[in-house]
Amino acid sequence: MSTAKYANQFVCDLHAYEPGKPIEETARELGLDPDSIVKVASNENPLGPAPMALEAIRGAASEMHIYPDGGGYKLRAALAQKHDIEFSQVVLGNGSNEIIELLCHSFLNPRAALIAAEHAFVVYKLMATLFGAKYVEVPDPNFVHDLDAMAEAVTEETRLLFIANPNNPTGTIVGEEEIARFMAKVPEHVVVVFDEAYHEFLTDAPDTLKYVREGRNVAVLRTFSKAYGLAGLRIGYGLCAPQVAAILQKARQPFNTNEVAQRAALASLQDVAHVQATVENNAVGLSFYEEAFQQRGLEYVPSVANFILVNVGDGDAVFSAMLKEGVIVRAMSGYKLPGWVRISIGTESENSRALAVLDQVLGSQ
Ligand SMILES: *Cc1c(COP(=O)(O)O)cnc(C)c1O
């Protein structure tokens, strides 16, 4: 049946997002023990959720017959206070990916354009396609966003411009001065989105919230999926200029974030020790890989996030060979980087195992 001809063309045109390969699926396919598998494919927190979040999750279980607080009062109030902005400027999402979708839903149409960097997070492109908008890709020499070129790419039809900072999958960042120069040039009809999913890992993060406080057309996206270790619960947020927040609130479903996620996120904010341990573990792991790649003469992109991109010659082949050994990394052919794989930083033992398997695979090619 050609049901597709009755469906929305933009939906049919979409190539679905390919997530990191799940542990259970890998175990099933290869006949391995799930506990023996190392997944370093989706930039998750190798230390798990915060102990205080686990307690909140257990506490919430007996109240699951009640709808969540659709207004997300407690969590939004805590986030507003933490970031020194108004309550109404905080928008919750079912992961920050949902905020990306809400932005596209609100601002894109077949006459609009979205601008992003050539090796930007792939979800921007998927969403532009979904809403029939034009997707404009700006070259990023040495895998770093070129904000001057991105400002020059703006036209009358541009509605959204995404700056992933740091970017995934490259792990690179643009600094405060470049951002200031860029913000001085960008016109009012463009909403600038700073996607800061890895913000907590930065030691010297550029201040983008000042543009939100100034009332510029800006949205800053953060998430509990990475440093806070709650990827499975799906909770993220946008810190937005009031006029942007008001639109996103209209576009969302009434209960878009669930009660367990809201409570766990709130508890995570209190568990400062867990985030600190996560960030320290990550710094150790990043140095471990950078040193190892230097010793082996492997090209890599210096990263400030919780993953690292390395050139292994044939990314798909190395991904498959490592998978057979029970180590899941991410092949990058979908990002037009067929030679590369992206490895998330794990615990010390996960990092050692991943490197040993990479060595074994590269040695036997
Ligand atoms: C992981 C990631 C996100 C966050 O996704 P969630 O939906 O919050 O889990 C957003 N942007 C980028 C660039 C990411 O890498």
Side-chain angles (χ1 to χ4, degrees), residues 42-43 94-98 100 121 124 164-168 195-198 221-226 231 234-236 307 342:
S42 301
N43 308 340
N94 189 19
S96 57
N97 265 283
E98 191 194 15
I100 298 172
F121 188 43
Y124 313 146
N165 212 33
N167 182 44
N168 170 18
D195 184 347
E196 302 181 351
Y198 303 94
L221 309 189
R222 305 264 173 93
T223 182
F224 288 94
S225 295
K226 308 288 160 56
R234 312 304 303 126
I235 182 117
F307 53 82
R342 191 194 66 198

Side-chain angles (χ1 to χ4, degrees), residues 295-325:
Q295 280 169 359
R296 288 156 179 76
L298 290 172
E299 183 188 7
Y300 67 94
V301 183
S303 169
V304 295
N306 68 344
F307 53 82
I308 190 160
L309 201 54
V310 59
N311 190 339
V312 292
D314 182 343
D316 285 331
V318 167
F319 160 78
S320 300
M322 290 183 76
L323 189 67
K324 289 201 184 89
E325 302 300 322

